[in-house]
Amino acid sequence: MKHAVAAGSLLCFLVAPQAWAQSQAEVPPASQLEARSEELERAPALVSWKRTLCLYTLCFLEPLIPDLRREWGDGAHWVLSWPIHPWATPPLDVPGPTLIVSPFVEPQLRLRPSTFRLLAGARVSAFPDTSRFGVLAEGAGVWGGDGKGGVAGVGLTYDLIERHRDTQPWTVSVVVRRAWTDAGARTDVSLDVTVPLAMFFGTRIPAPEDAGPSSK
């Protein structure tokens, strides 16, 4: 009997530290749980609020409403452009400012005399971590009735919603572009409103195992 008790005590002594260590590994510190819970729960609320506001303000029509550009080159012209941004990357975790990359396709119509063009390229926006104001740079190729070549642009931008990995940037920007084509060079300036189409594709919902320990 004494030998059985001793063996049982020894077994409990050996198993208890392992079980305690496993339980500690499964339960993160309270501060981490709170931060993770806030991060996971806040994003869907932000995206839902942003999408709702966009619906009420009719911003979903933005890809159909042309931006107005003033262009100088072989004379001064007005240009209508339809910048279409399918999606934007989550904020890139790099040293320094927060970076967001967004590819785009942009049909353009120059007025008087009328000429059709097509641009395709990408935009990079950089925001200080605590600010919604930032700067942007973009590059694209251009093909059209008045030449083909390349385009480079810079500007100032403002994001209408705080950034998160599950949100899309909804920006208002002032952009200056310079185009170099086989028909000559030209410069234009515009007020650019950008709403990536991915805003309307839905929101990523965290899996149950990603939401932290159960409340049971």
Side-chain angles (χ1 to χ4, degrees):
M1 184 66 179
K2 292 182 178 179
H3 293 292
V5 173
S9 300
L10 179 60
L11 181 61
C12 293
F13 178 77
L14 294 176
V15 173
Q18 182 179 359
W20 181 86
Q22 184 177 0
S23 65
Q24 291 299 311
E26 293 176 350
V27 181
S31 58
Q32 293 183 11
L33 288 177
E34 292 176 0
R36 190 175 186 185
S37 176
E38 180 181 357
E39 179 181 10
L40 291 174
E41 294 176 3
R42 186 174 179 81
L46 285 174
V47 176
S48 177
W49 174 88
K50 184 177 179 181
R51 187 180 293 113
T52 300
L53 178 62
C54 197
L55 291 173
Y56 277 109
T57 57
L58 301 181
C59 83
F60 61 91
L61 297 176
E62 189 275 334
L64 304 177
I65 301 174
D67 294 337
L68 185 63
R69 296 180 171 275
R70 186 61 172 173
E71 179 181 270
W72 298 270
D74 55 344
H77 305 279
W78 290 106
V79 178
L80 302 180
S81 64
W82 291 263
I84 301 172
H85 293 248
W87 49 268
T89 64
L92 300 179
D93 186 14
V94 297
T98 300
L99 300 182
I100 297 176
V101 181
S102 176
F104 67 89
V105 176
E106 183 176 325
Q108 289 188 351
L109 178 63
R110 190 190 73 182
L111 307 177
R112 297 182 185 178
S114 61
T115 300
F116 179 78
R117 309 169 185 152
L118 181 65
L119 281 71
R123 172 179 293 183
V124 179
S125 302
F127 298 91
D129 291 337
T130 59
S131 175
R132 295 184 188 177
F133 282 100
V135 296
L136 64 85
E138 57 185 17
V142 58
W143 302 266
D146 55 353
K148 60 182 180 180
V151 176
V154 294
L156 300 176
T157 186
Y158 178 77
D159 195 352
L160 297 174
I161 190 70
E162 66 179 272
R163 291 175 297 280
H164 189 277
R165 68 186 184 189
D166 292 326
T167 65
Q168 293 288 309
W170 177 3
T171 56
V172 178
S173 312
V174 176
V175 183
V176 178
R177 285 177 175 172
R178 181 72 172 173
W180 295 268
T181 72
D182 51 10
R186 53 181 180 261
T187 302
D188 67 62
V189 61
S190 74
L191 180 65
D192 181 297
V193 179
T194 299
V195 183
L197 300 180
M199 180 193 295
F200 309 105
F201 294 164
T203 305
R204 184 187 69 84
I205 302 299
E209 59 271 16
D210 292 340
S214 173
S215 59
K216 296 181 180 179

